PDB file of all heavy atoms in Angstrom:
ATOM      1  N   GLY A1366      -0.038 -19.904  -7.740  1.00 97.00           N
ATOM      2  CA  GLY A1366       0.047 -20.159  -9.187  1.00 97.00           C
ATOM      3  C   GLY A1366      -0.176 -18.928 -10.029  1.00 97.00           C
ATOM      4  O   GLY A1366      -0.544 -19.014 -11.203  1.00 97.00           O
ATOM      5  N   GLU A1367       0.055 -17.737  -9.438  1.00 98.00           N
ATOM      6  CA  GLU A1367      -0.188 -16.499 -10.176  1.00 98.00           C
ATOM      7  C   GLU A1367       1.128 -15.809 -10.528  1.00 98.00           C
ATOM      8  O   GLU A1367       2.202 -16.213 -10.066  1.00 98.00           O
ATOM      9  CB  GLU A1367      -1.050 -15.561  -9.321  1.00 98.00           C
ATOM     10  CG  GLU A1367      -2.415 -16.130  -9.009  1.00 98.00           C
ATOM     11  CD  GLU A1367      -3.209 -15.214  -8.102  1.00 98.00           C
ATOM     12  OE1 GLU A1367      -2.904 -15.181  -6.897  1.00 98.00           O
ATOM     13  OE2 GLU A1367      -4.088 -14.532  -8.614  1.00 98.00           O
ATOM     14  N   GLU A1368       1.023 -14.732 -11.332  1.00 98.00           N
ATOM     15  CA  GLU A1368       2.231 -13.978 -11.676  1.00 98.00           C
ATOM     16  C   GLU A1368       1.871 -12.529 -12.011  1.00 98.00           C
ATOM     17  O   GLU A1368       0.683 -12.207 -12.186  1.00 98.00           O
ATOM     18  CB  GLU A1368       2.930 -14.618 -12.863  1.00 98.00           C
ATOM     19  CG  GLU A1368       2.061 -14.758 -14.084  1.00 98.00           C
ATOM     20  CD  GLU A1368       2.808 -15.390 -15.261  1.00 98.00           C
ATOM     21  OE1 GLU A1368       2.862 -16.634 -15.335  1.00 98.00           O
ATOM     22  OE2 GLU A1368       3.323 -14.634 -16.082  1.00 98.00           O
ATOM     23  N   VAL A1369       2.885 -11.688 -12.081  1.00 98.00           N
ATOM     24  CA  VAL A1369       2.687 -10.288 -12.474  1.00 98.00           C
ATOM     25  C   VAL A1369       2.133 -10.277 -13.898  1.00 98.00           C
ATOM     26  O   VAL A1369       2.618 -10.991 -14.765  1.00 98.00           O
ATOM     27  CB  VAL A1369       4.034  -9.521 -12.422  1.00 98.00           C
ATOM     28  CG1 VAL A1369       3.915  -8.151 -13.094  1.00 98.00           C
ATOM     29  CG2 VAL A1369       4.506  -9.382 -10.984  1.00 98.00           C
ATOM     30  N   THR A1370       1.092  -9.469 -14.116  1.00 98.00           N
ATOM     31  CA  THR A1370       0.496  -9.404 -15.454  1.00 98.00           C
ATOM     32  C   THR A1370       1.306  -8.511 -16.368  1.00 98.00           C
ATOM     33  O   THR A1370       1.572  -8.861 -17.522  1.00 98.00           O
ATOM     34  CB  THR A1370      -0.958  -8.845 -15.342  1.00 98.00           C
ATOM     35  OG1 THR A1370      -1.647  -9.589 -14.312  1.00 98.00           O
ATOM     36  CG2 THR A1370      -1.699  -8.968 -16.664  1.00 98.00           C
ATOM     37  N   GLY A1371       1.709  -7.350 -15.863  1.00 98.00           N
ATOM     38  CA  GLY A1371       2.507  -6.446 -16.684  1.00 98.00           C
ATOM     39  C   GLY A1371       2.954  -5.237 -15.904  1.00 98.00           C
ATOM     40  O   GLY A1371       2.385  -4.918 -14.860  1.00 98.00           O
ATOM     41  N   THR A1372       3.978  -4.596 -16.416  1.00 98.00           N
ATOM     42  CA  THR A1372       4.505  -3.377 -15.801  1.00 98.00           C
ATOM     43  C   THR A1372       4.238  -2.197 -16.728  1.00 98.00           C
ATOM     44  O   THR A1372       4.589  -2.250 -17.893  1.00 98.00           O
ATOM     45  CB  THR A1372       6.010  -3.518 -15.589  1.00 98.00           C
ATOM     46  OG1 THR A1372       6.245  -4.626 -14.745  1.00 98.00           O
ATOM     47  CG2 THR A1372       6.593  -2.281 -14.933  1.00 98.00           C
ATOM     48  N   ILE A1373       3.603  -1.177 -16.182  1.00 98.00           N
ATOM     49  CA  ILE A1373       3.366   0.044 -16.937  1.00 98.00           C
ATOM     50  C   ILE A1373       4.335   1.084 -16.408  1.00 98.00           C
ATOM     51  O   ILE A1373       4.219   1.521 -15.258  1.00 98.00           O
ATOM     52  CB  ILE A1373       1.912   0.520 -16.753  1.00 98.00           C
ATOM     53  CG1 ILE A1373       0.978  -0.496 -17.412  1.00 98.00           C
ATOM     54  CG2 ILE A1373       1.719   1.918 -17.336  1.00 98.00           C
ATOM     55  CD1 ILE A1373      -0.487  -0.154 -17.289  1.00 98.00           C
ATOM     56  N   SER A1374       5.307   1.408 -17.220  1.00 98.00           N
ATOM     57  CA  SER A1374       6.346   2.323 -16.775  1.00 98.00           C
ATOM     58  C   SER A1374       6.072   3.708 -17.335  1.00 98.00           C
ATOM     59  O   SER A1374       5.859   3.879 -18.523  1.00 98.00           O
ATOM     60  CB  SER A1374       7.692   1.788 -17.287  1.00 98.00           C
ATOM     61  OG  SER A1374       8.706   2.715 -17.003  1.00 98.00           O
TER      62      SER A1374
END
Side-chain angles (χ1 to χ4, degrees):
E1367 298 177 284
E1368 57 179 86
V1369 168
T1370 311
T1372 300
I1373 293 179
S1374 173

